[in-house]
Amino acid sequence: MMFPRVAKIGVLILICIVVAGGSAYLALSLIVKSPDTVVVPVLVGKDAITVLEILSGLGLNARIRESEYNSDYPKNQVIHQDPGPGSEIKMGRDVGLTVSKGVRAIRIPDVQQQDVRQATLLFQEQDLCQGELAYTHSEEAKRNQIISQFPSAGAVVARGQCVDLLVSLGKRPVAVLMPDVRGLSLEDAILTIEMSHLVLGDVSALFQEDRPRGVIVGQKPLSGHRVIEGATVHLVRNKRDVRSRPADGDIIRNAHLYRYRLAYGFLKRRIQVKLSVSGISNDLYNDFVKPGEDIILVLPASASA
């Protein structure tokens, strides 16, 4: 009778030990699985930006360990993760990621009729490089617009392939014969220049006693030369250089000097000075003047002027 009682006591003791051990294990599990522990979700197949948002929300760090070409996953999608999905790790730990670089081969996009800068950006986005640039005039394509490309659009090439481009310089410029504007007034010379699709440049002064005052006595380019539409034409107008000091013998009694300086700036301005003597008005000065230039005139000192 004694042995069965001892056996019963031993069984009871064993049960108590098992219960105590189980309780301790549960308590330890609760301690380990504290709020600082999270379960790693499935990240494979998601794009890198979405994965960063998910891991950041769980308090985990994303670490892109490598990237590789992969035909099953588009560019920037996760193709491998470590730890794997379902793993329990503490917050603040790193999750290693392998990101897809996309398919190694790629089709050349069609960039014809696009601006060369837009094509360059498109090549960069698709891991292609811009190759040699050649230029030619075109009646159809605008300036800086792509006329043709090599390799052609749709060709399958390896990433990093360079694409050569033929770029338009716009329409071929039209050549015209430089008209002869010598002997014309400044207004008529400007009109002739504009009708020839040319642009007026500088107008300088040069005094020639044997030529009428105010007419054009020089031009650059010279007349008869072949020039391109839109070229600049510089003119020389016949007038006395009033800025030079007159010789002592030229100083007129009962006269005084009138001086005017044009304000500084960028554009020429037309200055007109009229002198009225005894009710009769005449142009004393009428010309285009550069910013900052002095105008010096000799005026009569009579009371009626």
Side-chain angles (χ1 to χ4, degrees):
M1 297 296 293
M2 191 70 180
F3 178 76
R5 182 177 295 179
V6 173
K8 290 180 180 180
I9 293 173
V11 172
L12 291 174
I13 293 173
L14 182 60
I15 292 174
C16 291
I17 292 173
V18 172
V19 172
S23 299
Y25 175 78
L26 291 175
L28 183 61
S29 299
L30 292 175
I31 294 174
V32 174
K33 292 183 180 179
S34 62
D36 293 339
T37 302
V38 295
V39 178
V40 179
V42 177
L43 303 175
V44 174
K46 295 181 172 60
D47 66 271
I49 299 299
T50 302
V51 169
L52 292 176
E53 293 177 350
I54 292 174
L55 294 180
S56 177
L58 294 175
L60 299 174
N61 302 320
R63 291 289 181 266
I64 299 178
R65 294 177 177 173
E66 60 180 335
S67 58
E68 58 185 43
Y69 292 106
N70 192 292
S71 58
D72 297 326
Y73 293 91
K75 186 177 180 180
N76 293 328
Q77 279 196 2
V78 174
I79 59 180
H80 183 265
Q81 66 180 87
D82 182 30
S87 302
E88 297 178 359
I89 60 175
K90 287 191 175 182
M91 296 175 62
R93 296 291 179 85
D94 294 343
V95 177
L97 303 173
T98 301
V99 180
S100 173
K101 295 168 65 174
V103 182
R104 183 178 296 274
I106 188 172
R107 291 186 180 276
I108 298 290
D110 186 0
V111 295
Q112 294 185 71
Q113 298 184 352
Q114 291 189 26
D115 185 89
V116 65
R117 291 173 295 181
Q118 296 175 341
T120 300
L121 293 175
L122 181 59
F123 291 155
Q124 292 175 353
E125 292 175 355
Q126 300 195 17
D127 293 335
L128 296 170
C129 89
Q130 177 184 287
E132 297 291 333
L133 295 180
Y135 295 88
T136 186
H137 293 286
S138 172
E139 296 299 318
E140 292 80 19
K142 298 179 180 179
R143 186 177 182 87
N144 291 325
Q145 202 172 57
I146 296 172
I147 301 173
S148 62
Q149 62 184 86
F150 180 82
S152 59
V156 179
V157 298
R159 290 182 181 272
Q161 171 76 37
C162 291
V163 183
D164 299 331
L165 302 175
L166 180 62
V167 183
S168 171
L169 290 173
K171 293 184 177 181
R172 189 176 299 278
V174 178
V176 297
L177 287 178
M178 178 65 207
D180 189 356
V181 297
R182 291 172 300 176
L184 300 179
S185 66
L186 179 61
E187 291 78 6
D188 290 342
I190 294 175
L191 179 61
T192 302
I193 289 171
E194 292 180 347
M195 291 180 63
S196 299
H197 304 287
L198 302 173
V199 178
L200 177 65
D202 295 330
V203 179
S204 57
L206 176 67
F207 179 66
Q208 294 183 359
E209 190 173 358
D210 59 335
R211 302 295 299 276
R213 184 175 178 182
V215 301
I216 303 301
V217 294
Q219 65 181 80
K220 187 178 180 181
L222 298 177
S223 61
H225 283 214
R226 187 174 296 274
V227 294
I228 302 300
E229 284 189 351
T232 301
V233 181
H234 305 291
L235 302 178
V236 180
R237 189 182 185 196
N238 186 31
K239 72 168 186 175
R240 185 183 299 275
D241 189 357
V242 297
R243 292 175 296 177
S244 61
R245 183 176 178 178
D248 293 341
D250 295 334
I251 298 178
I252 304 175
R253 291 185 178 183
N254 298 324
H256 63 268
L257 294 179
Y258 172 78
R259 179 176 179 178
Y260 176 77
R261 171 171 289 180
L262 191 65
Y264 288 97
F266 298 97
L267 302 177
K268 293 181 179 180
R269 298 185 63 185
R270 186 165 188 168
I271 302 299
Q272 185 177 31
V273 180
K274 288 183 175 291
L275 178 65
S276 178
V277 180
S278 300
I280 300 176
S281 179
N282 293 298
D283 278 349
L284 191 63
Y285 187 89
N286 187 357
D287 203 353
F288 290 91
V289 184
K290 296 180 180 179
E293 184 176 351
D294 286 338
I295 299 174
I296 303 175
L297 304 175
V298 180
L299 303 179
S302 62
S304 62

